[in-house]
């Protein structure tokens, strides 16, 4: 059974860093591209970035480019989101995601709050 468990969010001051993680199980993790999304209150869910299954190539939304980095540890079936120089507008629930066949699977989300 596919399961994605996100964790590692929290409260941080502007300019600080966090590193949420997404632990995956129930599928061949190394064969799939993975994604991070976020959703702020009152706003649509947006794609933060993705990492491919083979080369590990990444891409990012313009709003986070240069500040965020996605990585994966296939041995531990875990994806990470390194967030640096956090801004109040980064405040959101962050979700990991994978698309398998005709289905989308989502983690439960982890709250990131950036505030002084």
């Amino acid at each position: 059974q596919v399961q994605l468990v996100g964790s590692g969010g929290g409260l941080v001051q502007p300019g600080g860093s966090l590193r949420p993680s997404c632990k995956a199980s129930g599928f061949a993790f190394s064969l799939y591209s993975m994604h991070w999304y976020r959703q702020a209150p009152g706003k649509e869910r947006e794609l933060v970035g993705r990492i491919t299954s083979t080369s590990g190539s990444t891409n990012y939304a313009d709003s986070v480019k240069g500040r965020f980095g996605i990585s994966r540890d296939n041995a531990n079936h875990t994806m990470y989101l390194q967030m640096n120089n956090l801004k109040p507008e980064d405040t959101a629930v962050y979700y990991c995601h994978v698309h398998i066949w005709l289905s989308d699977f989502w983690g439960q989300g982890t709250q990131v709050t950036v505030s002084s």
Side-chain angles (χ1 to χ4, degrees):
Q1 187 171 5
V2 173
Q3 189 171 18
L4 302 173
V5 180
S7 63
L11 175 65
V12 65
Q13 293 183 326
S17 297
L18 284 172
R19 199 189 190 206
S21 62
C22 173
K23 177 70 173 179
S25 60
F27 67 101
F29 177 78
S30 65
L31 300 183
Y32 289 89
S33 295
M34 298 290 296
H35 316 88
W36 283 103
Y37 285 78
R38 68 183 181 185
Q39 188 166 26
K43 297 187 179 297
E44 296 292 316
R45 188 171 298 185
E46 66 172 338
L47 178 65
V48 175
R50 68 187 75 199
I51 183 166
T52 66
S53 61
T54 52
S55 67
S57 297
T58 56
N59 55 33
Y60 304 94
D62 288 342
S63 58
V64 307
K65 196 171 298 180
R67 299 187 297 120
F68 289 12
I70 299 172
S71 61
R72 64 192 296 163
D73 183 346
N74 286 337
N76 290 314
H77 293 198
T78 304
M79 177 178 64
Y80 302 91
L81 179 63
Q82 179 68 53
M83 302 187 293
N84 299 319
N85 192 25
L86 283 161
K87 305 175 184 296
E89 51 264 44
D90 295 318
T91 295
V93 178
Y94 285 73
Y95 299 90
C96 55
H97 165 269
V98 63
H99 182 77
I100 302 175
W101 288 77
L102 300 179
S103 300
D104 292 284
F105 298 91
W106 298 88
Q108 84 282 9
T110 185
Q111 176 71 50
V112 172
T113 302
V114 185
S115 176
S116 57

